[in-house]
Each structure stands twice: as structure tokens, then as C-alpha cells.
Amino acid sequence: IGGVIEWLGGLVVGIIGGQIMAAFSTFARFLQGLVELITGIVQIISGIVGGFINLIVALFTGDFSKCLDSVKMIWEGIKNVFSGAINILFGWIYEFVKGIIDWFTELWDVLVGHSIVPDMVEAIIDWFMKLPKQLISMISNFVKNIINFFKNLATNAGTTFSNMAANIKKPFQNI
């Protein structure tokens, strides 16, 4: 029973520990993505705002070449907003699917890969290999105990009868 409890304990620790580590890893990737998202949004907004400011300055100064560059800058910022949103969406979908795949991969690894099932099969085979020796030992001990019982029975009976005879003689010895 101790081996079974040890095996179950290893199973629980392996699965829970692996799941906790996977959760922390996923959370860390999420935070990293969130920081990149916020950084990207700030850069895009500053690019768009900078483009509008440059456009206004270029319009007031009459520099139409800078106006065209500013419009291009604003257009690139708007494109970056949409492409960034699409990349974020695909990134979240990818991480979600990857998290599910990683969970099943870890579960397979714990159950079949190198841990539970092979260890359990090995333990069962070892138990069956020890069985003949343990069975012979049990039978041998049983026979020894029966022989010792009858030896002790004879010795104890002799001692008991000697004590009874001595007790019966005792009162007559003083006469």
C-alpha cells in the first residue's frame, strides 16, 4: 500500500506541479504580450499625432512635400493600428491553442512518456517476480511455527507434569 500511496503522490505532484508551471509560463507570456501591445499602441498613437502636427505645420508653412510625408505617416499609423490588432488577435488565438496543446503534451508526458504507466508496469512485474520467493518464505515460516508449537507443546507438557508431580509429592515429603 505504501508503494501505491507513493505512486499516487508522485502522480498528483507531477500533474499539479506541471500545471502550475505551465500556468505561470502562460501568464508570463501574456504579460509580455500585454507590455508589447501597450508599447505598440503608444508608438502608433504618437506617430499618428506627430503626423497630424507635422501636417498642420506643413499646411501653414506651405511645404506641400512635408504635407505629403505627413499624410503618408498618418496612413502608416492607421495601417499599423489595424495590422497590430490583427496580429494581436492571431497571437492570442495562437497562444490559446498552444496552451491547450502544451497541456495535453505535458499530460501525455507525465502519464505515458517517462513516468506513471511505465513505472506502474515495472512495479507490477517486480511484484510478480518477488512472489515465488515470498510464497516459499511464507510456507517455510508456517511449517517452522507448527514444528515449534509441537516442540514447545511437548516441553511445556513435560514441565507442567513435573511441576504437578512435585506439588503432589511435597505434602508427603514431610511425613
Side-chain angles (χ1 to χ4, degrees), residues 6 9 14 22 27 35 44 50-51 56 59 64 66 70 76 78 89 95 101 113 115 131-132 136 149 162 164 166-167:
E6 182 180 334
F27 184 68
V35 167
I44 290 170
I56 292 171
L59 284 174
F64 295 109
K66 260 193 171 173
S70 298
E76 286 299 316
I78 292 171
L89 179 64
E95 287 297 324
I101 291 170
S115 185
L131 191 59
I136 290 170
F149 172 77
S162 294
M164 283 175 49
N167 287 334

Side-chain angles (χ1 to χ4, degrees), residues 141-155:
N141 287 337
F142 179 71
V143 170
K144 285 179 188 176
N145 287 336
I146 289 175
I147 292 170
N148 286 336
F149 172 77
F150 284 109
K151 275 185 187 177
N152 291 336
L153 184 64
T155 305

Side-chain angles (χ1 to χ4, degrees), residues 4 6 16 19 36 39 43 59 80 82 113 147-148 151 154:
V4 172
E6 182 180 334
I16 292 175
Q19 297 311 311
E36 290 173 5
T39 304
Q43 289 174 346
L59 284 174
N80 287 341
F82 287 107
I147 292 170
N148 286 336
K151 275 185 187 177

